[in-house]
Amino acid sequence: LRPPLYPAFVAAGYALTGGTVQAVRFLQAMVDVGTVALTYLIGRWLFGRGPGLLAALLVAVNVGTVAATGRLLSETLFTFLLIAAVAVTVEWLRAMREGCVQAVVPLGIGTGVLLGAATLTRGVLLLYTVPLVLWAAWARWVHERARDRVPSAPALRKATWGAILVVPVTFALVLTPWTLRNYRVHGAFVPVTTQS
């Protein structure tokens, strides 16, 4: 019925603490602190220290975020995984733009894994990799056309196009065990949840 990652998170919290709801709420608060920290990093990377601090402050005092942390809802874990995926995606796109051959594939794998984990928390990101990969491919194509007079090394070109494709492949690999389980249980193709 529901995606598996949040129930597994709650079960792990219960197992570690002897089954107390307050302990799971505390774990969610720690996850939320991680979301605030990642928001600061993304803001700093993209816009500078001041905007990063402002973005982190806005996330930290957001009434919806604070309220979700105190309840057993998947929003806290999902938001952390989504923001972590955005942070890795920002670095992945930067590495492709700067031609860091040794970084693009690992960062692409990280992006796919985090997006897969977020999707296994809430099914709303199921199609997210499609526009992400199309946008990354378009950005890479534009970058290559702009540098026509100085062609990229074949190894760099191959690595960056491989890094673009590794995101949906890794994403699909993360979802595959749960999708196969759903097929066995429901007798139908249910990628993540019966709710969507």
Side-chain angles (χ1 to χ4, degrees), residues 6 11 15 85 90 93 98-100 107 114-115 139 142 146 150 173 178 189 193 196:
Y6 183 70
V90 166
L93 293 170
E98 294 177 3
C100 299
L107 288 168
L114 286 166
L115 288 172
V142 167
V150 184
L173 287 173
W178 186 249
F189 177 70
T193 176
S196 54

Side-chain angles (χ1 to χ4, degrees), residues 91-116:
E91 284 299 294
W92 173 63
L93 293 170
R94 183 196 57 75
M96 278 196 294
R97 185 178 65 247
E98 294 177 3
C100 299
V101 177
Q102 61 274 31
V104 290
V105 172
L107 288 168
I109 290 170
T111 297
V113 166
L114 286 166
L115 288 172

